[in-house]
Amino acid sequence: MQWGIKNRLARIFNPETGRTVMLAVDHGYFLGPTRKLENPRETIAPLIPYADALMLTRGVLRNCVDPESRIPAVLRVSGGVSIVGPSLADEGLTTSFEDAIRLNVSAVTMSIFVGTEHERETLLNLAELVDQGETYGIPVLAVTAVGKELEKRDARFLSLCCRIAAEIGAHYVKTYYCEDFEKVVESCPVPVVIAGGPQLDSFRDTLQLAHDAIARGARGVDMGRNIWQDEHPVAAIRSVRGVVQENMPVDEAFELYRSVAGR
Ligand code: 5RP
């Protein structure tokens, strides 16, 4: 792997642990002002100290994150669809590589939609992005199986998605946690991080999810709603960080959550 790609990955994945806590705040690109992310600056600012990287679009990066911030940006460069449109899978590339370079990003990211009518197009977009990433030394994160694809969330399907993304050249992959998750990790030759998905019933469940994913080989989380839609987002990210970066058992992390939340 070339130096620039390694160096940028080392900004995202703590070299001491090999793991990352990415804060996903890109949801507005197809959901608009989703709950608790109506004002991205307000939501993001208190969480930045506890995140290893932010996943976001160029609009939110430019307008809602101070350029003096040292937080690594993982720039979402796919979109062109919306929650009220005909198909969430019909994504194209929305941001040029030149703009990503100008924004000094640590990685670029896009979604692939395996198993949909847009499979070929999104996979070829990934190939194009990887070619550009290799040219300029910027890693590419492939996001698998969002939206309707969630319904197919089993190890067989997610292994297929992650492996295809890695074969095309993604430098790391984001997917969902599932039963037999270790099979997804074992058959994917690049690091795998997990999304949180919609907010879970109890925050303890979120910590359990992060814990189980790490125990089965995930190299971190790229979590959004379970952190910033929580009643206590700072307590949430601090305790997820405890699990991912400090090997905290779930009970201890939940205690940390309760004490930071003032419960
Ligand atoms: C949407 C995304 C989100 O960033 C991803 O789903 C992570 O956020 P959450 O934990 O809320 O699911 O990639 O396409």
Side-chain angles (χ1 to χ4, degrees):
M1 200 185 285
Q2 53 153 300
W3 196 93
I5 288 184
K6 273 191 188 164
N7 177 260
R8 287 184 170 91
L9 285 173
R11 297 180 196 161
I12 298 166
F13 291 88
N14 180 337
E16 277 170 28
T17 61
R19 295 183 190 157
T20 186
V21 175
M22 286 178 55
L23 180 68
V25 288
D26 60 323
H27 303 57
Y29 89 93
F30 70 98
L31 287 174
T34 193
R35 185 171 67 84
K36 300 265 187 108
L37 202 55
E38 294 90 348
N39 180 334
R41 181 180 283 275
E42 260 178 28
T43 303
I44 297 168
L47 304 178
I48 284 182
Y50 309 104
D52 294 311
L54 291 179
M55 177 177 178
L56 72 186
T57 58
R58 64 178 165 187
V60 168
L61 182 60
R62 279 184 193 143
N63 296 299
C64 310
V65 179
D66 290 330
E68 293 79 18
S69 170
R70 298 171 65 84
I71 187 85
V74 177
L75 191 72
R76 175 170 282 281
V77 297
S78 70
V81 297
S82 85
I83 192 71
V84 293
S87 169
L88 282 179
D90 193 10
E91 286 192 2
L93 293 175
T94 54
T95 305
S96 70
F97 224 86
E98 287 72 17
D99 211 25
I101 293 166
R102 273 193 292 276
L103 288 164
N104 197 28
V105 302
S106 295
V108 292
T109 184
M110 60 165 287
S111 295
I112 57 171
F113 293 89
V114 173
T116 73
E117 59 186 325
H118 302 290
E119 168 181 283
R120 181 172 187 275
E121 194 188 340
T122 56
L123 290 175
L124 292 180
N125 284 342
L126 175 63
E128 167 65 25
L129 206 60
V130 171
D131 280 341
Q132 303 243 31
E134 293 291 343
T135 302
Y136 297 109
I138 297 183
V140 176
L141 164 64
V143 177
T144 69
V146 289
K148 284 218 167 81
E149 296 316 302
L150 280 174
E151 290 157 20
K152 304 176 194 164
R153 200 199 290 196
D154 65 21
R156 197 160 170 228
F157 177 68
L158 296 180
S159 299
L160 174 80
C161 298
C162 291
R163 178 59 175 267
I164 289 172
E167 297 263 353
I168 289 175
H171 301 93
Y172 69 116
V173 174
K174 164 166 141 176
T175 194
Y176 289 88
Y177 184 69
C178 61
E179 207 175 311
D180 298 326
F181 183 73
E182 61 278 6
K183 289 189 180 153
V184 179
V185 173
E186 280 161 15
S187 59
C188 181
V190 298
V192 177
V193 297
I194 60 148
Q199 200 179 10
L200 298 172
D201 291 340
S202 132
F203 191 71
R204 203 180 182 291
D205 294 344
T206 303
L207 293 172
Q208 191 71 54
L209 175 80
H211 174 273
D212 293 352
I214 294 293
R216 288 172 176 77
R219 292 275 300 277
V221 298
D222 182 14
M223 208 173 257
R225 289 162 289 181
N226 277 285
I227 290 174
W228 41 259
Q229 285 184 340
D230 189 83
E231 212 184 329
H232 304 287
V234 170
I237 194 166
R238 283 185 63 176
S239 53
V240 167
R241 185 166 191 83
V243 169
V244 173
Q245 293 293 18
E246 295 160 41
N247 291 320
M248 252 183 214
V250 172
D251 286 340
E252 190 183 332
F254 194 52
E255 260 321 296
L256 173 65
Y257 170 80
R258 287 161 64 97
S259 85
V260 177
R263 282 198 183 160

